[in-house]
Amino acid sequence: MSEEAIRAELAAISEKLDDIAAEVRRTVENNRDSHKDIYDRLSKLETGFSKMDVTSRAVFFIAGAALSIILQKVL
């Protein structure tokens, strides 16, 4: 192979590597966006579940207090 043929082949390989690197960068950015979206959704779910936990504890407390008042009046 001549030097020019080798240079042309190396240039072609370099272009392919640049294309692959650009594709990898796009994939990483897309994955980063996806992970951020998933994290945000999980964060919202966690906030919702913690509010439900507090609400359910309050409901059980009020029900227990009401039950104890009713039982004191009955007994």
Side-chain angles (χ1 to χ4, degrees):
M1 282 177 89
S2 69
E3 183 179 337
E4 291 159 5
I6 292 172
R7 285 183 192 263
E9 193 169 327
L10 286 175
I13 291 172
S14 178
E15 285 182 34
K16 287 180 184 178
L17 288 175
D18 288 342
D19 292 343
I20 292 170
E23 183 66 29
V24 168
R25 276 189 231 104
R26 281 192 298 272
T27 302
V28 167
E29 287 300 318
N30 289 340
N31 287 344
R32 186 175 295 137
D33 292 342
S34 296
H35 289 145
K36 185 178 181 328
D37 185 45
I38 290 168
Y39 176 80
D40 290 343
R41 288 181 184 181
L42 288 175
S43 181
K44 287 179 185 177
L45 284 173
E46 183 179 15
T47 302
F49 283 134
S50 64
K51 287 179 182 178
M52 283 188 345
D53 185 45
V54 170
T55 303
S56 65
R57 288 181 187 196
V59 167
F60 283 125
F61 175 77
I62 293 170
L67 186 60
S68 67
I69 292 170
I70 291 171
L71 286 178
Q72 285 177 358
K73 288 186 178 185
V74 170
L75 299 175

